[in-house]
Amino acid sequence: MFSLSRLMKSFRYAGRGLFRVLKEEQSFRVQVLIGLLVLILALFFNVKVWEAVALLLVIMLVLVLELINSVFERVVDVLKPRMHPYVETVKDIMAAVVLLSSLGAIVVGILILGPYIIALF
């Protein structure tokens, strides 16, 4: 059965988690700022709908992977005293995941916004 109060609690918990990551994770704040700047540029250049969708998807991919990375780091930190030397490896691999998605997003951003920027000059 649908419960509006449970739905509101879920949104409140999600907002609290998002606020905590924004407060505690510098890389997430930087990625949000860059994502907003890219979206502002997309509005400024009046990009095609499919280009805006592609930009939004890669921005969201990077942000979601950063959130997953933050979760992994916290879980691994909790388990660290009892864990294997793989703790550092897990953190490094998750950082690599975010790095690769960020590099892919940069390439997509350049491919889409590059021609618009070049046309200005």
Side-chain angles (χ1 to χ4, degrees):
M1 181 135 220
F2 178 76
S3 169
L4 185 58
S5 67
R6 283 191 351 203
L7 179 63
M8 296 310 291
K9 279 184 183 178
S10 295
F11 282 124
R12 191 167 39 250
Y13 298 146
R16 190 170 61 197
L18 188 59
F19 179 75
R20 173 159 289 166
V21 173
L22 279 167
K23 180 179 167 190
E24 296 176 2
E25 298 288 337
Q26 177 181 333
S27 57
F28 189 76
R29 289 191 303 270
V30 168
Q31 291 159 346
V32 167
L33 178 65
I34 291 169
L36 289 173
L37 291 173
V38 167
L39 291 176
I40 289 168
L41 284 173
L43 286 171
F44 174 78
F45 289 123
N46 197 24
V47 299
K48 297 177 182 107
V49 172
W50 72 266
E51 293 172 325
V53 169
L55 290 171
L56 187 59
L57 284 174
V58 294
I59 290 167
M60 294 307 294
L61 175 68
V62 170
L63 294 177
V64 167
L65 288 174
E66 184 62 45
L67 289 171
I68 293 170
N69 180 43
S70 296
V71 169
F72 266 87
E73 285 186 358
R74 282 167 172 76
V75 169
V76 169
D77 285 344
V78 167
L79 301 175
K80 189 191 276 187
R82 301 179 296 271
M83 285 299 288
H84 199 270
Y86 281 151
V87 167
E88 184 178 2
T89 303
V90 168
K91 286 184 168 189
D92 290 347
I93 292 170
M94 281 308 301
V97 167
V98 176
L99 176 64
L100 283 178
S101 67
S102 298
L103 293 173
I106 289 169
V107 170
V108 170
I110 290 171
L111 289 172
I112 291 174
L113 295 175
Y116 292 97
I117 294 170
I118 291 171
L120 281 179
F121 303 103

